[in-house]
Structures are given as structure tokens and as C-alpha cells.
Amino acid sequence: MTDFGLGNKIALVTGCNRGIGKAIAEGLAEAGADIIGVSGSLPVQGSEVQNAVEASGRKFWAYQADFGDRASIYAFLEKVKNDHPVVDILINNAGTILRTPAAEHPDDMWDKVININLDAQFIITREIGKRMIERGSGKVIFTASLLTFQGGINVPGYAASKGAVGSLVKAFANEWGSKGVNVNAIAPGYIATDNTEALRNDPERSKSILDRIPAGRWGQPEDFKGPAVFLASKASDYIHGTILTVDGGWMGR
């Protein structure tokens, strides 16, 4: 099992304050990694994710950044690269979703979703990835979506951004695989998080979704600990450009 261990590794996890990102940060820490956490609202001290990471005996460093603002992204990157010259694992999890039918979807909604879900992830990966290439090692994991493969309803910006993330994963993997850097993604199915609250509160939509999931339940953030540890570890060294669905069997259906 040593191939799955993350001892002496440092992982940067974006969007780690709650939901899937929080669970991934906790899972990586349980496997031995120290965690650099960043989100738009992450407390500098005393967050739930910090407490959980430190309870696993690992270190936690908290940062804030507005992923919809490039100046904020670059300021964060400058600081984190100075504070932590080596980042072994990058988890691109920060994201947002805005629901409005396509015919009524305004420019500001489109821009916000694309800026956070796609532009920020490209910039962060490019900048952190440069040092991974120099060292000849690194693991990058994006959070994709079922809408990397499907179109969704009333979320055109989100669908476009997650479809693009799928292609971006492959583009990075094609260039960086020979340089010792693995780039992959995890595509969550229907998970009980803030992003799906509207769906879960709609009895008709919730039933139609559950009826199609072979596992018969909504996913939980904790379902992502194992997949993230696997893709962040030596055990996945020959996996490049893959989008791993964690969806209770939705795509198989």
C-alpha cells in the first residue's frame, strides 16, 4: 500500500472550504500530505478543514483568493509560490454554477462561470505546473463534471466550462506526460453539496435523478477521498489525461 501513501507531499487544494474540496483535502491529509488550502471565504485560522487536517497530524496553510478576478489569482500565486517553492499535488476544485435558461442567460453570468471554472484553473495549473515540469514530477487533478460529457439543463455556462475542462485536462496531459507530470480529472455525479441543493429540493427532479443512479443514492463528498488519493499517488503514475467518473454508475446507465 506504500504506492498510495502521500507522506512528505504538499498538496494545494482550491475551493477547499466545504463540499468535495474539503473532503479531498481531508483525504489527502489522511494519506500523509500537508495541505495548502485556498478559497474565496476560507478563514485564516480555525476552519473546519484546517481542524480536520491538523487532527490527522498534518500541516495546513490557509489562503484566500477571488477566482473570478485575475489580479487576485496572480497575487495569490505570487504569495503561495514564495511561501511554498514545492507543490507536489494540485487539486483544481474551485468552481461555481449559475442557473438560468440559455435564452435568458446574461453575459455577466456567463463571464463569471467561465472565469472561475475555466480561466482560473488554466492560469493556476500553468503557473504551478511550470515548477512541476522543472522538477520532473507532479500530480494535477481537476474537478470535472457529468456535464463534461452532457449538456445539462439551464446551466449553459457551467456545461461549457466543464466541457472545456475535459479538453484542457487532455491538452495538459499530452504536453506534460513525458515530463513526469500526471494531469487527470475526477467527474462527480450528483453529489449532496451546495451546488445541487436546488435539485434535491425539487421532488420531481430529485426522483428522476435517483431513478437513474444504479447506486440508488446521492453521492457524498467523502466518496471523493479515495479517488483523489489514488490520482495524487504513485499508484497512478501511468494514468494521463483520464476523466474518472465518481457518479454511482450514472454514466454506465
Side-chain angles (χ1 to χ4, degrees):
M1 296 299 291
T2 55
D3 282 353
F4 292 88
L6 300 177
N8 300 316
K9 301 293 185 181
I10 295 180
L12 169 55
V13 184
T14 73
C16 69
N17 199 33
R18 60 184 187 273
I20 292 172
K22 177 174 175 287
I24 288 176
E26 293 172 2
L28 297 179
E30 289 165 7
D34 295 324
I35 306 297
I36 303 165
V38 56
S39 77
S41 57
L42 183 65
V44 176
Q45 286 290 335
S47 66
E48 289 185 11
V49 63
Q50 177 177 358
N51 292 340
V53 167
E54 292 179 348
S56 295
R58 310 313 309 169
K59 296 176 182 176
F60 185 88
W61 301 276
Y63 295 82
Q64 288 188 354
D66 178 355
F67 297 106
D69 179 79
R70 290 200 181 187
S72 179
I73 294 168
Y74 281 111
F76 158 69
L77 284 168
E78 182 177 3
K79 181 166 179 53
V80 80
K81 287 193 293 185
N82 286 334
D83 294 347
H84 305 281
V86 175
V87 173
D88 302 290
I89 302 157
L90 170 61
I91 309 292
N92 280 312
N93 174 72
T96 192
I97 187 168
L98 297 174
R99 300 178 185 277
T100 304
E104 303 158 17
H105 206 79
D107 289 354
D108 60 337
M109 276 191 175
W110 174 273
D111 290 343
K112 181 176 181 179
V113 171
I114 296 297
N115 287 342
I116 293 172
N117 291 6
L118 182 60
D119 295 350
Q121 299 200 25
F122 170 73
I123 292 168
I124 293 169
T125 302
R126 181 189 66 201
E127 296 304 308
I128 298 298
K130 288 177 183 178
R131 290 186 174 177
M132 291 180 173
I133 291 170
E134 291 171 0
R135 295 193 309 274
S137 67
K139 301 281 186 170
V140 180
I141 305 168
F142 286 77
T143 297
S145 169
L146 291 183
L147 298 198
T148 300
F149 312 100
Q150 302 171 339
I153 299 171
N154 296 334
V155 288
Y158 184 82
S161 70
K162 292 301 185 179
V165 162
S167 291
L168 187 60
V169 165
K170 296 168 189 174
F172 275 125
N174 288 344
E175 294 190 32
W176 293 0
S178 63
K179 304 180 190 308
V181 180
N182 298 72
V183 184
N184 294 289
I186 295 172
Y190 286 91
I191 312 302
T193 65
D194 294 348
N195 280 356
T196 61
E197 185 175 5
L199 295 176
R200 287 181 287 115
N201 289 339
D202 182 330
E204 185 175 337
R205 287 294 305 280
S206 181
K207 182 180 185 303
S208 70
I209 288 167
L210 284 173
D211 284 347
R212 185 175 162 173
I213 299 174
R217 66 172 176 88
W218 288 79
Q220 297 297 321
E222 291 71 24
D223 291 319
F224 293 85
K225 289 183 176 183
V229 168
F230 168 57
L231 289 177
S233 71
K234 188 177 185 301
S236 63
D237 278 357
Y238 198 57
I239 298 178
H240 297 270
T242 290
I243 302 171
L244 173 63
T245 55
V246 181
D247 62 356
W250 175 280
M251 289 299 292
R253 181 71 175 269

